Every structure is written in C-alpha cells, then in structure tokens.
Amino acid sequence: MTSLDILFGAVGLITAASAVLAVTTQQLVHAALWLVVALGTLAGCYLILGAELVALVQLLVYVGAVVVLVLFALMLTRAPMGRSPEHSSSAVQRIAAAVIAAGTTSLLAAVLLPALGGEVLSARTGDTKAIATQLFGAWVWPFELLSVLLLMALIAALAVSRMPTTSPTSPVPAETEST
Amino acid sequence: MLLLAALAIPALTGTALILTGRDSVRSSEANANLVSLVASVATAALVVATVITRPKVDYQWLPSLGVRWQFSVDGISAPLLILTAALGIAVVVHARSYPPHGGSPTTFYGCLQLVEFGALATFLSRDAVVFFLSFEVVLIPMWVLISRFGDSHDLPARADASGRFVLYTVLGSTLMLVGILALVHSAGTANLDALAAARGAGLDRSTQMVIAALLLVGLGIKIPLWPFHTWLPPAHTIAPTAGSVLLAAILLKMGTYGIVRLVIAPLPIGFGALAPVFAAAGVIGILWGGLACLVETDLKRLIAYSSVAHMGFVVLGLSSGTTAGLQAALFANIAHGVVSALLFFLVGGLKERWGSADLATARAALREVSPRLGLALVVGFAASLGLPGLVGFWGEFLAMYSAWSPAADRPEGFMRVLAVLAVTGTAVAAGYSLRVLRLIWSGDRTSPAHVDAHGGEWSVLAVLVASVLVLGVAPGIVLNTTSKDVSVITSEVSR
Amino acid sequence: MIHLWLPLALVCVLAGAGAYGVIARRNAVLVLIGVELILNSANLLFVTMGSVRGDALRTGQVLTLFLITIAAAEIGVALAVILALFRKRGHIDLSEPGA
Amino acid sequence: MSELVLQATRMVVLAPFVASVLGLFVARRRFASAVIASTGAVVTLLAGSYLLYAVHHDSLAGEVSTIGALPLGQLRMPLHLLVDELSAIVVFAVGIVGLAIQLFTKWYLHDDDRYGVFTGTVSLFLAGMLLVVLSGDLVLTLVGWEVMGWCSYLLIGHYSRKDSASRAATKAFLVTRFADLAFVIGLIILASGAGTTNIRDLMATWSGLPGSTLLTVALICLLSGIAGKSAQFPFHDWLPDAMEGPTPASALIHAATMVAAGTFVLARLFPIFVLSDPARLVLAVITAVTMIGAAILAFGQSDLKRLLAYSTISQISIMLSALAVAPVTVGSGPAVLYLLSHAMFKALLFLAIGWLSVLVAGTSAVALAGGVRHHKQLRVPLGIGFLALAGVPPLAGFVAKEYVLGAAHDNISELGSAAGWIVMVAVGMSVVLTAAYCTRAWLVLTHLSAEEEVTHEAAVKEAVEVEDVSIVAIFTELASEGGIPPDSAPASGSTVTDVHAEPEHGHADIHRSARLSVGVLAFLSVVGGLIIFTPLVQVEPHITWWLAASSFVLIVASWAGVRFLAPVDGIGDAASRLGADRMALFDSGLGADGVYVALASQVVRLAEIVVVADRQVIDAYVRGTVVVTRWIGVTGERVHTRKPSSYLVWLLVGLLAVGVVGVTTW
Amino acid sequence: MSQAVVAVNAGVLLPALAPAIGAAVVLVVDVAAQRLRRTHYMIALVSLVVGAVGTFAGLGMVAGGVRQTLCLPGGGQCMYAADAVASGLQLAALLAAGVTLLLSWPDDKKQSSGSTAVIVSLVLTATAGATAVAGARDLGSWLVALELATLPTVALVALRGARSAISGAIALLTTALVSFGLLALAAALWFTATGSGFITPAAALAVIDDPSRRPILVLAVALVVAGIGFKLSLVPFHAWTPEAYDGAPLPIAAFLAGVSKIAALGALLIVIRAIAPLGAPALTTIAIVAAASMTLGNIMALRQNSVVRLLAWSTVAQAGWVVMPLAAASSAAVFASGAYLLAYVLATLLAFAVVAALVQTRGAARARDLSGYHGLVHDHPVLAAALGLALLSLAGLPPGVLGLVAKVTALRPVVASELWLMAVIAAVNAVLGVAVYLRWLRVVMATAEPETDMTAPVAAPALSAHPATLVAVGLAAVALVVTSVNPQLILGLLGS
C-alpha cells in the first residue's frame, strides 16, 4: 500500500459511493448533485493517475456543462422536488437491475482483475504537450470527425427543440407525412 | 445455343406474359394461350434437338462463389426433359378446354411457362448451385397457380394449401442448399459431373452421412417422402388442373432426380449407410399412401396419396444401389409422370364437370355417359396399379426386384423385408384403383349427364393414354437412354 | 505507485452502477445519468491503461477526451429529444408505452 | 430357327394384341370389331398351327427375341419367347378355343352395345395367355399373367351396369392380385438367385441347387399366385362369382386360358419344381382340398353355370395335382394333357350352356330344367361335354384323367411320397363326385315333368320371343349401318318371319359360325384323347388298366346313385335332397366370401387408422409448427411492451448473456 | 513528437469527406439563401455521387488489396484502410442515402427550408459516419464515426414531430446511448487487452503473448456485438426497431434500414476481421444472436399488420442472416456478411420506395396498413411488380435471384465451418421468412372479387406519387433486376 494507493482508495470510494447514490436516490436533484460529486471525484482520480489534462476537461465539460444541462432538463421537465418513488421503476425491475448490475460488475471484475489486478502503475505527469501533439497529429481524422459530430449535434438539438409542437393535453395530432 | 434457346424461350415468354396485359380478358385469354402454345412447341422442339445433339454450355456466372452456367444433357436427364417439354405443351392444350379462372389468363400462362423453365433448367444444369437456383424457380409460379387459380370454393383452404406447399418445399430446398454447400465445400467442385466422377473420394464416412442426410431430407420433402408428404394432398386438391399436372408429373421428379445427382453419385458411402432408412421411408410411403387411398373420398386427394405411394417405389429403387434399381427408379419417375399427368388431366376435367371431386356423391357412371373419359380412367388406374404391359409396371417390378437383391453394402435381409412390403403395396394399389373404377366408372346411372372429352382435352388424354401403352410395351425406349449413365454411377459391370 | 486493482475495481463499480441506473430509473433524465456513469467507467479504464501502457500515441487519454466530447454531444441531442417528449406527453416516464 | 418360325411366334402374340388395339378404335362398329377380332384369332390359330407343325416336323425348339433385352446391369432380362413342344401345343389349343369363343361371342352379344369393347378385350386376353404360354422369360410370364387378370376384370365386369357384375369383377381381380403378391416375390427370388429372368438359364442355375430352401420358398410363393389365378383353395371363391360375366368370357376364363395358366407356368417350371418336395407336398394338399371341396360344392349349386365354375376349380386341381406327383420321368405331360382336354370340353360346356341360357333366359337349374328336351340341337354337345367332364371313356376327359391317376400311381410306386397317396385318394374321390354332379346336371337338363311341360314351353317361347325382337332390331340396324350385308346372319335369318316362327326347331337363333365353334369343340372333346397317340404331347401312350377300370366303375356307381336320388317331381334335381338351407350354403360357397370381406374390412380399418394418423400424427407436426410459431408470436407481443425502459432491460440482459457466453465458450 | 503527424490522402478519404463537406455546404447555402430547398437536395446528391466515385478505385480489389491513408510515419499503422468489402459497403451507403434523399424530395408547400437544410445535412452527416466507419482502423475513428452515423438519426426520427415519432426517437435514443456506453467500454477493454488503439489483426495477436488477457479481448468482442447489435437490430438489442421505423418518416425509416445497417456492419466487420486470425473456432455468441434474431424477427413480422412494422421486424430477421456467417469468423464470412447486407439493403430500399410511392398516392392510412395493399396488382401493376420483386428478394426466392444468391453466400461459411445446427436453424428461418413476405405478396395479388374483376376491367387509378419517389422506385427496381440477372455485380463489389 503506497500513499497513492490510499489516496486513490479514498477518492475512489467517494466516487463509487456517490455514483451509487446518484442512481439510487429518490430525489431528482439529489441524483444530479451526486453525479456532480461522482464526476468531480473521478477527475480527482484522473489527477492521481497522472492525467491532468483529462481531469481538467472532465471538470470543464462534464461538471461544467453536462451536469448543468441535466439540471436544466430536470427543471424544464417540471421535476418535482423532494423524495418521489415515481422516478424508479417497479420493484421487480429494480431487482432485475440490481442483478444485472451485480452481474456486470462481477463479469468485468472477473475478466479484468485476475489479468491485471496485480500490476502496479507509476503515474507520469506533465504529458499534456505530448497529448496535444498526438491529438492534432496522429488523431487528426477522428478529431475532425468529432468536430462534425459536435456541429451536427448542436444543429440537431436546436432543430428538435424548435420543432413546432402541440400542447401535451391536446389529443394526438394528425399524423402527417414529411414526404 | 439450342440449349440456351430452350431455356430462354419459356423464361422470356413467361416473364413477358406476366408483365403484360391484364385488360380485356377474352382476347388476352386466346392470345395468351396461343403465345404459350407456340412457345411450348418451340421449346419442345428445341429440347428434342438438345437431347439429340447433346450440347454443352459452360459460362462464367458468379466467379465469387465459383458458380458457372453449366448445362448439358445426359441419359438420366433426357427422358425427364422430354417429359417436361411434352407436358408443357399438354397443359397449354388442355387449358384451351378449361380456361383458367380466378385471375388474369396471362399470369396463368406465364406461370406455366416459368414452371417449365425452372424444371428444364433443373434437369439441364450441371452446376450444383445452379441446380438449386433452378429448383427454386418453380416455387413462386406454382404458388401463384395454386393460390390464385386454385379451387375457388374454399378460399381459406386455398391459402392453406398454397402456403403449405411453398413453405414445406422451401424448408426442403434450404436444407438441400445446406447439403449442396457442404458437398461443394468438401468436394471442392460444384460440377455435378466432376462430383459424380469423384465418387466421394476424399470424404470420410461421417461427412458423407451428414451431407447425405441433409440432402435426403431436403429432397425427400420435395419427392415427397413419408413422413414429409402432408403438403402434397392439399396442394393437389386445390391446384388447378395444370398445376396439379405439373406438380405431380414434373416437380416431384426434381426431388428424385436431385437424389441421383447429388446424393447417390457423389456420396456413395454416405448414401449406402442411409439407404435402409431411406428405403424404409419409401416403403412406408407405399403402404401409407395406398391405404389412405382406400378410404379417401376426394378424388384429387386420392391421386395425391397414390403419388406418395408411387414415389415410394422410386425411392426403393434408388436405395438399392444397383443398376437395376436405379434404372427402375428412373423409369418409375417417367412412368409416374405420364400416369399422374393422365389422371390429373382426367380428374381436373371431371372436377369441372362435377363441380367437386367428391367420391361420396352419386354421379353418372363414366362408362355410360362419357366413354372416352372412362377409357382414359381405366387405362390410367390400370397403369397406376402397376399392370404389366402398361408404363407403371416396369419401374415398380424392377424396384421390388432390386430391393430383393440390393448392392453388396446394403443389409440384405432388411431390404428383402422391404421388398415384400412393397409387393404388398401393389395389392393395396389394386384395391384403391378398383374402388375408384367401381365408384365412378361402372354403374347404371346416366344422370347428371355431361359432355365427353373432346378437342384439346381429348387429344391430351389420348396422347397420354398412348404413351402409357407405348412405354409399357417398349420400356427400352427409356431404359436404353438411361442405362449408360446409370452404370457409370453404380460402376457396376453389366453382365 | 498505484496498485492497478484499485482503479479497475472502480471501473467495475461505476459500470455496474451505470447499468443499475439505466434500468432502475424511469425518468429519462435519470437514465441519462446511468449512461454517463457507464461512459465514465470506460473513460477511467482508458486513462488507467493509458497510464500503464504509456504508448506513443497517448491513446488512452486522447480517447478519453474524445469520449467526453461525444458524451457532451449526446447529452445535447438527448435533452432536446427529452424536452420534445415532455412537450408532447407532459411527462418523461420511460415506463409508459410509446404511441 | 427359320425366320418364318420367328415371325410366326411373334405373330401368335402380336395378332391378338393388334386386334385388340385396333378393335378399340372401331369399338362402336359391331361389324368391324367382329372382323378384326376374328381375323386376329384366325391369324393366331394359323400361326399357332404352323408353329405346332414346325416344332414337330423340324423338331425345333428355341428362343425368339421380342422387344430387346433391357439394360439392367447385373440382371439379365432378354425378354425372349420360348418355342417348344409344350408351348406349341398349348398355343394351338388356346388358338382353337379363342377362335371358337370369338365366333360365338359375335352371336351371343349380338344385342350388346359394348360388343366391340368386349371382343377387343377377349383378343387382349388371348394375347396375354399366349404370352404366358410362349414366354421364355419370367417377366413376360408375369406380363401375360397380369394382363389376363386385368382382362378378366374387364370381362367379368362387362355388364358394368349391374352392381353384382362390378363387384364380382373387383373381387376376382383383387383376390388374384392378392395371391399374386407371393407370385411376384417368387419370381423375384428365382430371378435374383440366377441373375437372369430367362427361364431356361434360370432353371439351369437352380437345377444346380437342389434342396435349396430359397428355391422351396420361391416355389411355394409361385404356388400362391397359381392358386389365385387357378382359383385353388383358399383363393377359389372369385371364380364362381365370375359367372356374372357374359358366358363367352366364362368360357374363356375357364377353358384354355386364365385358370389353366397356372398349370402351364408350373409345367414350364417343372424341372425345378420337382426339386422341391415340400413345395410339391403343399401343392398336393392344396389341390386335394380344392378338388374334393369344389366338387362337393359343385353338386349343390342351384345355378348350373356356377356348377360349371366349381367344376372348373375341381378340374384345375386335378391338373395341378398331376404336377405335384408326376415323377421326373413322367414329366408335365399328364398335366398338359389334362389342360388340353379340359380346355376343349369346358369351353364346349360353357358355350353350350350359354347358348341354352340365351334360349331359356337364365342359368339357374330351375330355368335350365328340361332345356335339352326343348332344344334338341344342344343335347349332343352338352352330353359330350358332361361325359368328357365326368371322364367317361373314351372321351378326352377320360384319357387325361387316367394319365393323372397314372402319374400318382407312378409316384407311389417310384417315390412313395405322401403327395402321391394324397393325390391318388383325392382324384379317386373326385372321380365319384365329378360323375355325381355331371349326372345331376344332366338329369336336370333332361328332366321335365309332364304337367309342367306346357307352362315351361310357354315360358321358354316368351323368353325367346323377347330375344328375337332384339335380334331383329340388331340385324336391321346392322343392315342399315353403311349397308353392310349381314353375311354372318343365321341361315334362316334372312327374313323376320323365319327367325320368329321356328326358334326352337331350327337353329335360326344362332350363327353358323357359333354353331361351328360348338361343333368343333364337341368333336375335339370326343377325339381329343387320341392326342396321346400323336407326338404332340410328351406322354407315353399307356393306360394303367386297373385304374381305368376302377374309375369307370366308380363313375357308373356314382351315376346310378345320383340317378336313384334324383326326385321324379320338380326339376329332377338330386341336389334338392340336400335341403334348401344346405343348397343356400353351397351357393354361398360355404361363406368363403364372408371371409374375404372380413379380411378386406380389416384392411379398410387399417386404412382408416392410417388416415387418422396422417391427419393427427404426421400432419400434427406441421400444424404444430404453426401453433408454436403463433405462441411465440403472442408471447413476443406480450414481451414487447413498447416501454423504452423494458428495451433497456433487454439490452443489458442481452449484454450480460452475450458477455458470459462469449467469455465462457471461447 | 513531430513524427506524430500523419499523411493525408484526401482521395482515399473522399467517400467520407464528400458527404461531410456536402453537409457543411448545405448549411452554408441555407444561411446564404433561405429559399432554395431543391438546391440542398441537388448539392447533397452531388456530394453523394462524388463520394460514390471515390469508392470506385476500391471496388472489387483482390483479396488483401487495400487502400489506406492517415498512416503513421515510419511505415506504421494506418488509421484509415478501405479494402474491397469496405469500399463496397461505402458505395452502398452512399447510394442508399441517395435513395433516401430522393424519397424525401421536398414538396413545394409542406416543409420550411430550414428543416430541409437540417434534414439534408443530418442525412449527409450520418452517411459520412457510415462511410468513415467502414474504413476506420483505430478506436477513435471507429467510435466517433459510429456515433456520427447514429446521433443524427435520432434527430431525423424526432423531426417528424408526431407523437409516434417522438416515441420512436426516445426508443432509439435510449438504446443508442446505452449501446454507445457499451461500445466505449468495449473500446476500453480492447485497449486494455491489446495495449493498442488500433483494431487490427496485429493488435489482436498481442493477446497470444498473454493468455490471461484473452478473456478481456473476448469480453470486448462480446460488448462490440452487443453495442453494434443494437444498430443492426439484433435480438435482444432490437426492441427500438419497430417503434423507430413506425414513428419515423418513411424515408428516414428507409435510411435506418439501409445506411444505418451498413454503418453497423462496417463497424462490426472491422472487429471480426481483426480477431479472425486468432483462430476462433466459432463465435458462439454471434451464432446465438443470429439465430434468435432470425427466429424472433420472422415470427413477429408474421403478426404485423402495419407494413412499416413488418419491414422493421423483417430487418431484425435479416440482420440475423447478415451476421450469421460471422459465426464462422473467416474472410469468406466477412465477404458473405457484406454481400448479404448489400442484397438486403437493395431489396428493402425498393420495398420502402414502393411504400412511399403508395403513401403519396393513396394516403398514409391505407398505404401503411397491410390490408390497404389488397388488389395492388390490379390497380398499380408496375408498383406491385416492383414490390413483389423486393419481397421475393427478401424471401430469397426467384425471381428475386439476388436474395437467393445472398442466402447461398451467407450459408457457405456456416456450412464450411460445419455449424450444422446453425444451418438448420437458418433453413427453418428461410421458411418463416418466406411465410412473412408471401403473406404480404398474397394481399398484393389478391383481387376483390375473384369472379367478377376479370370480366369488367376497371381503369387503374392514376399514380400520383412524386416524380423523385418514382425515380427512386425505378432506380432500385432496375438495380434489383440487373443484379438478379447477374448477382456478380454485387458480389464483385466486395472483391472475389
């Protein structure tokens, strides 16, 4: 057990706990906030692992943008405040979910841990320049594709949200063919 | 070129007929009939020329799959080709007397042409995959014939019968495809002649058995082999006359022909191992079909069950593994083609006259009101019960003989038991044949009277009756054609 | 020096939690949270193995960056559709059968 | 062999065949049909006579090719005809009977609208029989054999408007076909063992294997078929019913052809048949049972035509029994001799009874009673026939029967087998019984009590008048049909008055040709026995005198007994002593038909089971797939709730499954 | 680290670049000139054609032939490599996108130009993703391109605006997001197992050195199957399919059935090809998934009365056929899978095109319901013939020879690997498939009154479909006829 081990263990524990809480809490906004905690501590994990750029981006994009979007969405969909069991599925489905989750975890663990669990890694820091070089050098093609993806996602999101719609209480609108 | 033309004419005529004309029924009826007649006659002429000149065609088609357009004629396919071409004309001529109802006549004749095309291509092809493709060509036209032009009294039954036919057959042909692919993969060639020449060299027993089993089940459905036969009676019952004729006389033969080409020749060991089971199924079919005929009340169903029985003899002959057995099977193939065509033409005409093919209803005795139909009926059922001197005899007798003395690698005792049971089947055949004659041929009722066969119908019946006689008196016409190629397959030295 | 089993265990837990969240939630936005957790488990695995392997292309970290960006793009479209759903139906319950 | 002999041999079979095919085309025209059929029969007879001459004059024997050998790998099937003394003489006999019957039919069926079909079928029947006789190949034998069977079906069922005729025809064919199952198997065994179907080659091969079990099996199988065709127990019951057919058909079937075919085939195969004692014993038992049983049944028949039918059954067993006992040294000669003589007198009897039945409109004993008293022209032929049948010396029947007895005697003295004793005793008893039923028939035919004479005469006259009207109609029709002169019209039939006026004195009601046939047959029945002094049959002309004498004594005693029993009142029917109930039992053939029906109904029950199984078991799989498919579909629809949440469950369950399966199976 | 810069050959990238650039141009033009609706489509078609031309050089290359670019310096690995199969898939994707555009050709009144531009650009982007993923050789391009091919389709489905469209979009969206999460995890596992960012045989062979990592690679492949299984509509990842098809506008449903499947298979084939040299005896998971897809898809299709839902379930079934050869994991299997997909896409596009033409002629309510096809052969014989050909191709029966040859091709590797059970299941499903398509065809061929309709032929109702739709029908039908006569035209695209 090195100090880094302990550090990672502590941060990781928080991450894991907040992740579990994020998917189990009965309060909508709490779920989003637990997600913030989980993603934030995960950024800490990245830092411990020596990926400072990734950690930064994680904080910027995920915590800064994604979670804000999620919160907005919760508000726009008039999410009720306070505890509400309505957000979770039926008991049967939750039990199934637990089984599947346990299965997924153990499957991954059964595959990953025996093979690699014994290894150690020594974190290297200060790699940001190399990453930048590779990102715009070797990985330029996926990077460019990614830019197209972002652009189109933006346009798509705009187009979908600006779509003319009727009020939810009105009867089903007449089916129209766009062709 | 002759060969390709013989294939192209029905294919193109059929397609053209289907794609054109749905207007003004009366004129298109006559025109479609005329066009089909001309096409069928031309095809038949070309087929005859092809059989005589024996050309070979070999073109690249699907290099990616190693599939080639390889067509040629040999002794085994020649009689079947002639039969197909002849019946191709016969159904068109017969349809002059009984115009199709239920849909556009151009579609009807187009489908007839396409069925003929598919059958000819099946018998001509020398590439296993092309064989399979040709095999499939007939399905949809036949499905259309049954589902559109079938018995209009009972629409759900029509849907059921046509669906059964096409689905059951597709199951068979897909299993056959699996077998073909396995064969081609393990033998390394798709050429049927090369496959036959290799005689399974390089394939171990278990591989041969697996492939042979797949092919036998697949083709067995088409034959149809007991217990895969239950699609046949409804299909025959519902199908229009032309459909029944083509189905019984040609389509069933594609199954047995396929077994000769794809199983017996290239997989002698595997087939030898499965032959007892195959033969047993055939013999059960003989008895099963025959017994069913004894109490069946619908004449068309009855003939369908008798087809099951007759094909059982073919199967028995094939299983024996001897030249005599193979010759018997090929002859019985042709014999059943002629006889079942005769009976279905006849019964189709009767059904039109009677309004149904139910035997339980009292009707005028055929002998009294329509002597020509009566004559054809007597000859047809005499041939059907395997009367010597008529076409049905030789195949059945030789099949029984060959089952009694099968090839060396067959279990002799078991095959002999099968031979005895098959012989018993001939008595059952006599039973149902005479039952039908007693019910509808003899008697003193003269009402309701109906017209006797004349014109197209009579000429078709007469020619078939004559063929039943001629081939029965001179079986050598067929047997001599097939003998050379058969002895190559069995590699048996003639004494 | 970090023992590898620690981050790997976290990967497994995150993936499991994500899977749970995806199924156990009926609110569409909460389902998205589950998806994010799965994506983050993948990211953590990339970063961890990137650090172990340390290849010249910096594959681990670069791909993590890609995935974070893709996640952002996804969330954008997803929220737009969820809002559209809300406007059509008045709720965003995934346990209700679609039209 | 010379080309002429070859052609003649083929012609023998071909002529009737061609005649039947041609006859089919002109079946609607009586005259043309008659000409074609008669020409065919004449050609056959001429060719047959030439063969007989050639065979004996040049001592020829050999094979004649037909349609060429069939290429069947290791099975040789040359399909040759075989001409030798045996076949030549039988061909001759068949030719005579055939021609006689064709001529007779022309008259007998003069008012039948299906005469053309009938006569064509008779030609085909003859072709079948001649093929069996000339066959040098088992397959050709089978062809002729079955063709005869089919023709018998058509002929017996000629009056297809009558349900009883149709039933009898069906029964005849089915019974013989059933018996033929074993026959076919026997043929297959013989052919397969020798690798050829050529009879001479095959016999040569099998002769090298005496005592072979397979040979015994094959021969017993053959016996089954022969018993069927020859109407031996237990397949005998079709033959009496076959009397539903027109009398010429009965004559044809009973005389030289179908029922005798079995004898001929067995005679042909005699060289190997003698190799198997068990088979011979089986035959001896079958024939013994049949000849006694049938003779007893014959006695009690209320219908004289049926009496003749049972007599045929009994007589055929005598023929066959000769084959069961004849030592190799004796050969098949006695059987063939009996075949020939039986052909003559039985044809004679049938034609004469047929003639009479036309005159009195019926074949029952009651109808025929006193028949020959009214129709004196029939007294001689019928008398000759019955005497020959009873085996009274020196008629043909006597000579032949003595040879059979002689064969049995030789068997006992030379081989001492049980078969010899069985046959000897059975034939001895049948001599008595045959004489008894012949006497009974004759007494009935001649008996007429004085007080009934008047009524009978009236009845007979009426019947004949009815016939005559139709004869007139037919002749008129014939004459008007294209102006064909009625050249074969009766001698005094040129005017209506003649025909009408003297039906019972002159022979106005019968064609010259038909009368000729009866006459020829009668002549041959008388002198037929002399054939033993010709080289035509392979028998030594010797008679075992003590046997002949004792059988003659038995015949006389039997005659006296029946004579004594015959009542003077009624129709003088000795059988009436049996009582009406027993007569009915005899008429029903002791219920053999019921056994057949019971057997057939079992088959039908099996068939019903098959149909049910076809629907409920085999087709159940097919319908079952539909049910299963539908069930999966319904379940699938229930599972697909259209809830996005459930999609995700599916997705992750699938993921887990795929992952686990992947990791564990790879 | 200057050597990190890769060399770019734009010509090789053209199939992916052209539609992407086309999308950008459409957006720019839309901003510049607001009223040019048709222009967008023209630009899009041109870009697709340019892309298609770009694939020509790669078509029909012999085995082993490959066109690559974005190669790392020093003879290293390339991030983009298109072999014959990839080029064939790219061409098919571009043409299928073209058909989609033709089907959605704007009517004068209905749509605003803004949505037109968005739709066109989204279609083009998704197409670019589909073509890019076929050539991707690294995890980055692979993931990004796959998402590029997926995300726009969610919006395309939703953009119809109807309630069912939103439901379909939600179904598609949730499944897509989770699946992408799985794919990301799969990519991470691949990287974990191989230590390489490339999806190549060389990378996969690395696990041979360390057997303990083999399960990681296997799990990665399993996750790939699951993640891509969603896009291919494989059971049990299929459930979104009927909802999305039914909710989406018809052209978009066609797009989902065509381009999306090509993208998914392109992505899957890369992974399969990479692991093929490991000598896997058989990919049991793929076999199971394929069998389940065929069976469930066919059986459910048998019960549908909406033709779009029927086609959706038929997609599920056909997807089973598409991946079935991959259970054998050989180069022949890759070829077979690609060939089957192309045949399926062609036939299914034709079916969609005919449905679209009928929707325009007879109205949606009638044309989307199976019973609305009653007597089509009498009213519109040409459309009926085209539909019949498409259905028979899907069923794999002549005259749809292409479908039959595709089935032959697909069964070959299965049989060669002696996967008898799989082959028998496929045979049974061939039967079920025939039942599905003939059920439709029978309705098409039926006539209202069997006895009366023939005596008085009624003038067929006029066909009032949009010309562009008819062009799409015509092009697809001609292509299907030509390839049915000579299937080598399709097979040859994928190399020999």
Side-chain angles (χ1 to χ4, degrees), chain A residues 37-98:
Chain A
V37 175
L39 297 180
T41 47
L42 195 58
C45 292
Y46 293 158
L47 263 181
I48 298 168
L49 290 170
E52 63 272 357
L53 179 62
V54 175
L56 274 175
V57 173
Q58 170 92 356
L59 281 177
L60 265 176
V61 176
Y62 253 125
V63 183
V66 171
V67 178
V68 170
L69 275 177
V70 166
L71 282 169
F72 264 108
L74 286 176
M75 287 163 191
L76 284 175
T77 54
R78 297 179 209 154
M81 289 298 169
R83 291 172 62 83
S84 166
E86 286 171 17
H87 305 304
S88 294
S89 354
S90 61
V92 178
Q93 195 163 325
R94 266 179 293 156
I95 293 168

Side-chain angles (χ1 to χ4, degrees), chain D residues 72-92:
Chain D
L72 297 168
Q74 305 210 325
L75 172 67
R76 281 202 308 117
M77 193 180 283
L79 298 178
H80 284 173
L81 299 177
L82 179 59
V83 188
D84 59 4
E85 293 181 340
L86 176 64
S87 50
I89 182 69
V90 179
V91 163
F92 182 69

